């Protein structure tokens, strides 16, 4: 298999070393642990491809664990969307699990820690806790709560659990080391009081475990061998291990946390909190707006699962943070759609072209190849007639030497049809061209084998027969932000960099074969780019999203600027 020849990435190397040191292969187990507080984005896709990819490589189970420990932000809608996105990417989880399933077990373990004098109730305010925390170079101050008796701690914790205290009035802290050089070890909070209703446990619980306490113990309960997370958790690893030390049974597998660099992509933001702001403040039309870096947005935009998996593969796993150019993602979808998307012709900025020597009432249904990259794609029929639309930018009255499209007295080929030559134009009072007149060479039909048809002309244009054209709403997307790193600018909110022209809607005129196109179907509009049918589409109003242009237009712009 091709897979096996690739050099191991550093995480695979860690796993191989563990196996070499005696870890039973059959004990390998991974998880993807999203918090259901928003829709997944392309960064999550990287983590999904990584964890599920390891599952496939080692034939090991991968759990989907919802890290649902904060009821104020989590919702069933997000759970459902996350499941849909992972399945769409092509992965299958072994078990669907929830941290909330472990609330009782986590609580029981917390009692054990209290009884062993390793956890205590803190009644100081969060400001006081913060003030006593110290700095990385200066030890913190022990809280008076540290000296509370076990009995009193148990009683207070019980009352916290029963909802007898107000939110923020009490927390449970682990008693570790207020002088630790690692700030996370300075008596971290294990539980807080929250009186919100949880999407699964309802009002059963008034106290909720913090991330660090819940995560490692959940890994342990599920017997996850390698708990892979992003680099910002590297400093949490010591605490992850300390918590495991408290409950670990040596006969069981001990999970191991390892970290990799998160995906950062330019011209977008990727924190769920910020994406939620874009949605709530209506800068975009929902989580699946095709401009969003969410998996659902990319799907609606026309991205394929294969293109996203391939993107994850190409960027690989790194130990250091870096910034990936969004044009790499665009490259991946172009590459995939070039092989698979049927070609059609559509004009999105039309100008009328009249073939003056073509008989008025005549029409011909010409053969057009569906995809020259795929020999099994076959042919379709495209209607040709006297009056056509071509793109406005494909004509210039007077052209310089570099303009290979249509101009007066110059020849071009109409794709799948004839060679034509422009003769004159009709203009409105303002001087705008409203009609171009041309003649066609009757012997030059594409593929007819005549001498005239073999004649080389420099340009080939796409076109649509006006009387056969299907109108469509075409949504042209551009980057959502004008700045490469919108959320990394000093003293400026990321929303100041929202691109006001990120969506442009035009009317396109399409060849009639699109009439039967279904939602989600993808096409190459020849010479324009890749497009897919949006979910807003119906038989009355056909709607297309531009997935990506054929070429990287931004590369051209930045090359000019440099
Ligand atoms: P965000 O900050 O965007 O809300 P998060 O890390 O809080 O993301 P979680 O739902 O907690 O989101 O993440 C689930 C998993 O996805 C975690 O293992 C996390 O490390 C991983 N993940 C999140 N963002 C990225 C990213 N940009 N690149 C790679 N992995 C990511
Ligand atoms: Mg998180």
């Amino acid at each position: 298999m091709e897979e096996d020849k690739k050099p191991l990435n550093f995480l695979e190397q860690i796993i191989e070393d563990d196996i070499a040191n005696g870890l039973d292969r059959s004990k390998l187990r991974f998880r993807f642990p999203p918090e259901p507080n928003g829709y997944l984005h392309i960064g999550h896709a990287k983590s999904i491809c990584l964890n599920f990819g390891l599952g496939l490589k080692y034939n090991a189970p991968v759990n989907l664990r919802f890290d649902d420990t904060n009821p104020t932000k989590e919702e069933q809608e997000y759970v459902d969307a996350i499941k849909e996105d992972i399945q769409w990417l092509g992965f299958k989880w072994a078990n669907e699990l929830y941290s909330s399933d472990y609330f009782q077990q986590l609580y029981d373990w917390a009692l054990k820690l209290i009884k062993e004098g390793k956890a205590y109730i803190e009644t100081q305010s969060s400001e006081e806790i913060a003030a006593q925390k110290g700095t990385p170079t200066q030890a913190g101050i022990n809280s008076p709560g540290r000296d509370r008796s076990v009995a009193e701690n148990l009683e207070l914790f019980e009352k916290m659990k029963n909802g007898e205290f107000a939110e923020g009035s009490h927390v449970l802290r682990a008693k570790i080391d207020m002088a630790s050089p690692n700030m996370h070890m300075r008596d971290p909070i294990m539980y807080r009081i929250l009186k919100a209703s949880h999407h699964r446990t309802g009002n059963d619980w008034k106290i909720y475990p913090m991330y660090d306490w819940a995560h490692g113990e959940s890994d342990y309960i599920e017997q996850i061998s390698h708990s892979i997370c992003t680099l910002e958790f590297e400093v949490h690893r010591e605490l992850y291990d300390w918590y495991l030390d408290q409950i670990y049974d040596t006969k069981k597998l001990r999970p191991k946390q390892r970290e990799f660099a998160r995906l950062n992509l330019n011209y977008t933001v990727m924190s769920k909190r910020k994406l939620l702001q874009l949605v709530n403040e209506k800068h975009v039309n929902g989580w699946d707006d095709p401009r969003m870096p969410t998996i659902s947005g990319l799907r609606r935009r026309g991205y394929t699962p294969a293109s996203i998996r391939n993107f994850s593969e190409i960027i690989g796993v790194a130990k250091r943070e870096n910034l990936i150019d969004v044009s790499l993602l665009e490259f991946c979808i172009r590459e995939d759609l070039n092989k698979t998307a049927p070609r059609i012709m559509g004009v999105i900025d039309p100008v009328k072209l009249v073939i003056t020597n073509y008989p008025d009432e005549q029409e011909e249904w010409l053969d057009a190849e569906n995809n020259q990259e795929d020999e099994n794609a076959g042919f379709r029929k495209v209607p040709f007639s006297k009056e056509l639309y071509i793109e406005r930018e494909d004509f210039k009255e007077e052209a310089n030497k570099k303009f290979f499209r249509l101009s007066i007295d110059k020849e071009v080929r109409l794709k799948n049809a004839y060679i034509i030559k422009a003769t004159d134009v009709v203009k409105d009072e303002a001087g705008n061209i409203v009609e171009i007149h041309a003649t066609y060479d009757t012997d030059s039909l594409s593929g007819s084998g005549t001498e005239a048809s073999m004649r080389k002309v420099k340009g080939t244009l796409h076109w649509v027969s006006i009387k056969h054209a299907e109108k469509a709403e075409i949504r042209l997307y551009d980057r959502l932000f004008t700045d490469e790193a919108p959320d990394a600018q000093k003293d400026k909110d990321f929303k100041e960099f929202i691109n006001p022209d990120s969506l442009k809607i035009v009317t396109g005129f399409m060849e009639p074969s699109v009439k039967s196109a279904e939602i989600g179907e993808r096409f190459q509009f020849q010479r324009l780019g890749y497009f897919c049918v949006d979910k807003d589409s119906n038989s009355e109003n056909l709607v297309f999203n531009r997935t990506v242009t054929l070429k990287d237009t931004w590369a051209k712009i930045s090359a000019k600027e440099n």
Side-chain angles (χ1 to χ4, degrees), residues 466-533:
I466 294 177
K467 74 173 169 202
H468 299 94
E470 281 290 326
K471 256 196 203 175
E473 175 180 329
I474 313 280
R475 298 178 181 170
L476 304 171
Y477 298 105
D478 200 345
R479 291 176 183 172
L480 190 50
F481 293 94
T482 52
D483 193 274
E484 191 172 21
D487 53 2
Q489 302 303 318
K490 261 214 188 113
D491 309 324
K492 286 206 173 166
D493 187 77
F494 73 99
K495 284 174 289 178
E496 288 181 40
F497 299 100
I498 291 178
N499 177 2
D501 301 318
S502 61
L503 169 61
K504 199 174 142 198
I505 299 178
V506 299
T507 299
F509 294 85
M510 310 301 304
E511 62 169 78
S513 71
V514 296
K515 205 171 173 147
S516 58
E518 283 168 24
I519 290 171
E521 226 177 309
R522 304 177 179 90
F523 298 93
Q524 186 196 91
F525 290 6
Q526 281 177 313
R527 299 180 63 236
L528 295 178
Y530 295 100
F531 293 74
C532 75
V533 183

Side-chain angles (χ1 to χ4, degrees), residues 525-545:
F525 290 6
Q526 281 177 313
R527 299 180 63 236
L528 295 178
Y530 295 100
F531 293 74
C532 75
V533 183
D534 188 73
K535 68 174 187 189
D536 290 344
S537 202
N538 58 49
S539 53
E540 253 93 86
N541 187 30
L542 205 55
V543 182
F544 283 97
N545 295 318

Side-chain angles (χ1 to χ4, degrees), residues 33-35 37 44 67 211 232-233 262 272:
E35 182 180 357
N37 63 345
H44 295 114
D67 200 357
Y211 171 88
E232 63 277 19
F233 289 98
R262 68 196 290 115
K272 279 181 281 190

